[in-house]
Structure formats: structure tokens, C-alpha cells
Amino acid sequence: MTFRKYLVLAGVMFCAAIGDSLLSRGMKQVGGVSLDHLPKVILAVLNPSVALGILLLLGFFASYMTALSWADLTFVLPATSLGYVVLTLIAKFYLHETVSTTRWIGILLISAGVGFVTQGPELTHHPAKHAPKEECVAVPAGEKP
């Protein structure tokens, strides 16, 4: 893998983790919203944390699409799941959420799984299903092909 591909995967990881954290922080500031009260939903988007979270999640989506353009989903998704570790650390130390021992064990299992996935190829190469067809050329009568 090239350095550029590692940067794209890091973009997926960090944009998702930071974007989700900012979105969570902003929505806790805004309070409960419902689709029944559309003006409050629109005002929620104007909260700086929510707006920045949405922008970072758009960055996540762009990075994710880029990664999927050169690698299999079964490679990209686990490789970027290290973002769960980053997200949990942000939630613990920035949002001051309580993270149970069971969650930490789950994060360790995710990290171990990522280690297994990265040992395989990033893209599956499929053999050609059909051999190329030979081109038919009309030969005038009396000439050899």
C-alpha cells in the first residue's frame, strides 16, 4: 500500500471519529429534537459543534468513497474500524463518558480483528470469465486468410 492510501484510510478513521464526537457533543447541547418540530432540527444544524461534525462526516464520506474505489469493502471497513478505538478515547477523555471494561475488551477484539484483516490483499483480483473472442474478418473469394 502506498502512503497516499494510508492517508485516505486515516482520513476515514479520524473524520468519522471526530465528526461523530462533535455531533454527539452538539446534540447534547441542543437537547432533544424530533421531526415533529422541524424548526428545532434546523436550529440544531446551526450549532457550531453539530455543523463541524457534519462537515467532518462529509469528509469521512468522501474519504470512504475514495478508499472503496481502490480496495474491497472487506478490506476498507475493518481497516478503518480502528476509528472505534479513536472514538472511544475521544468519548472517554473529551466527552467524559464512562467506558466500561466490557467496552474496552470489545475495542481490543476489534483491534485484533483489524490485525488479521490487514494481512490479506486490499483488492480481490478476479480471473477473466471469458477469453477474448477472435475477430471475424471477411476474406474475398479466392484469397487465403
Side-chain angles (χ1 to χ4, degrees), residues 16-32 44 47-54 56-57 87 90-91 93-97:
I18 297 169
D20 283 336
S21 299
L22 286 170
L23 197 60
S24 174
R25 179 178 177 222
M27 290 311 298
K28 285 181 177 124
Q29 292 169 347
V30 169
N47 175 288
S49 292
V50 172
L52 188 55
I54 290 170
L56 283 167
L57 289 172
L87 178 66
I90 292 171
F93 296 109
Y94 179 68
L95 299 175
H96 307 291
E97 292 183 4

Side-chain angles (χ1 to χ4, degrees), residues 78 81-82 84-85 101-117:
S81 66
L82 284 176
Y84 294 127
V85 176
T101 304
T102 306
R103 288 186 187 175
W104 283 117
I105 291 170
I107 291 165
L108 289 173
L109 289 172
I110 290 169
S111 300
V114 168
F116 288 118
V117 170

Side-chain angles (χ1 to χ4, degrees), residues 5 9 64 66-80 117 120-126:
K5 290 180 180 180
L9 291 176
Y64 192 61
T66 301
L68 289 174
S69 73
W70 50 260
D72 289 341
L73 176 63
T74 55
F75 177 84
V76 173
L77 193 58
T80 59
V117 170
E122 64 189 56
L123 185 62
T124 306
H125 296 284
H126 299 285

